[in-house]
Amino acid sequence: QVQLVESGGGLVQTGGSLRLSCAASGRTFSSDTMGWFRRAPGKYREFVASIWGSESTLYAASVKGRFTIARDNAKKMVYLQMNSLRPEDTAVYYCARRGAYGSRSNANDYDYWGQGTQVTVSA
């Protein structure tokens, strides 16, 4: 079993920054691919970023250059630093762990999810 708990969401103005955190507990962590996804009102859940290995990362085109995913294996933490935020980044953000195989950007290949944290960017 794996438990994931996100924190750090909130309300921020356009151009501002937020740092999301995801605390993992349970079985092994360091070898897992971890990802961030988001769901905006009325939209499907979409991939944001993932991290695996020592520092391999993948980003959605919409956030590349503005968001940074990182992890601290000793603390079993995953972070998402979000800069230059835009109103279209408003969504509930979820931390997730990918299963043993599959795509690093397909939500269907992730088997454990947190409860989500709300990010709202005002215009």
Side-chain angles (χ1 to χ4, degrees):
Q1 273 291 49
V2 174
Q3 293 80 41
L4 302 171
V5 179
E6 303 96 335
S7 61
L11 173 64
V12 65
Q13 292 184 331
T14 295
S17 298
L18 280 176
R19 187 197 195 204
L20 304 184
S21 299
C22 172
S25 60
R27 50 140 290 176
T28 185
F29 173 80
S30 59
S31 61
D32 293 333
T33 292
M34 300 298 296
W36 286 95
F37 293 79
R38 66 187 182 186
R39 176 173 282 162
K43 295 188 177 181
Y44 292 107
R45 181 173 50 190
E46 66 172 352
F47 169 75
V48 176
S50 58
I51 186 167
W52 68 95
S54 55
E55 288 185 12
S56 297
T57 57
L58 179 67
Y59 294 94
S62 59
V63 307
K64 197 168 187 178
R66 300 187 299 123
F67 291 10
T68 302
I69 188 172
R71 69 194 298 166
D72 184 332
N73 290 333
K75 296 181 179 179
K76 291 191 173 183
M77 296 289 295
V78 183
Y79 306 99
L80 185 68
Q81 177 67 43
M82 305 186 295
N83 298 329
S84 302
L85 283 161
R86 306 165 179 168
E88 53 264 39
D89 295 317
T90 295
V92 177
Y93 283 72
Y94 298 91
C95 173
R97 189 207 75 163
R98 196 195 69 164
Y101 304 99
S103 166
R104 302 189 194 278
S105 60
N106 188 333
N108 292 328
D109 291 321
Y110 284 72
D111 54 2
Y112 288 98
W113 294 80
Q115 82 289 348
T117 185
Q118 176 71 48
V119 171
T120 302
V121 184
S122 63

